[in-house]
Amino acid sequence: LKDGTKKTLGVILPSKEPLTFKTHLAERIEIISGECSVQIGHAPDIKIYKSGESFQIPAHSQFKIKTSEVVDYICHFE
């Protein structure tokens, strides 16, 4: 963006297995529509996030995400 911030828009389709994403920069994932379960790093807990909520991912980490419906999101690179 003009102010130097970087964002991406994305869509995650339903899948039987979780998708794994690796990060280089810290990210904040903002859920625009839908609901998903997320496991950050190697933490044992899995949390549910839905429209209007967001979660933080540290730099040089990973997260797993799974959904049974279409999820739209914005990734804010921090």
Side-chain angles (χ1 to χ4, degrees):
L1 301 174
K2 287 183 180 182
D3 66 0
T5 59
K6 294 183 181 186
K7 302 173 188 274
T8 59
L9 302 175
V11 175
I12 297 176
L13 300 176
S15 65
K16 292 182 182 181
E17 296 297 320
L19 302 172
T20 301
F21 293 91
K22 295 185 179 189
T23 64
H24 296 289
L25 302 172
E27 301 176 7
R28 181 172 60 88
I29 307 293
E30 178 183 359
I31 306 300
I32 303 303
S33 67
E35 181 177 294
C36 56
S37 59
V38 177
Q39 179 183 19
I40 298 173
H42 298 290
D45 55 331
I46 296 173
K47 296 184 180 177
I48 304 294
Y49 295 94
K50 48 188 149 181
S51 180
E53 298 180 331
S54 63
F55 56 93
Q56 300 281 135
I57 309 296
H60 308 290
S61 184
Q62 72 175 20
F63 66 99
K64 292 181 181 181
I65 188 166
K66 184 177 178 185
T67 182
S68 59
E69 60 185 297
V70 175
V71 170
D72 297 310
Y73 68 90
I74 300 173
C75 178
H76 305 266
F77 294 95
E78 303 184 340

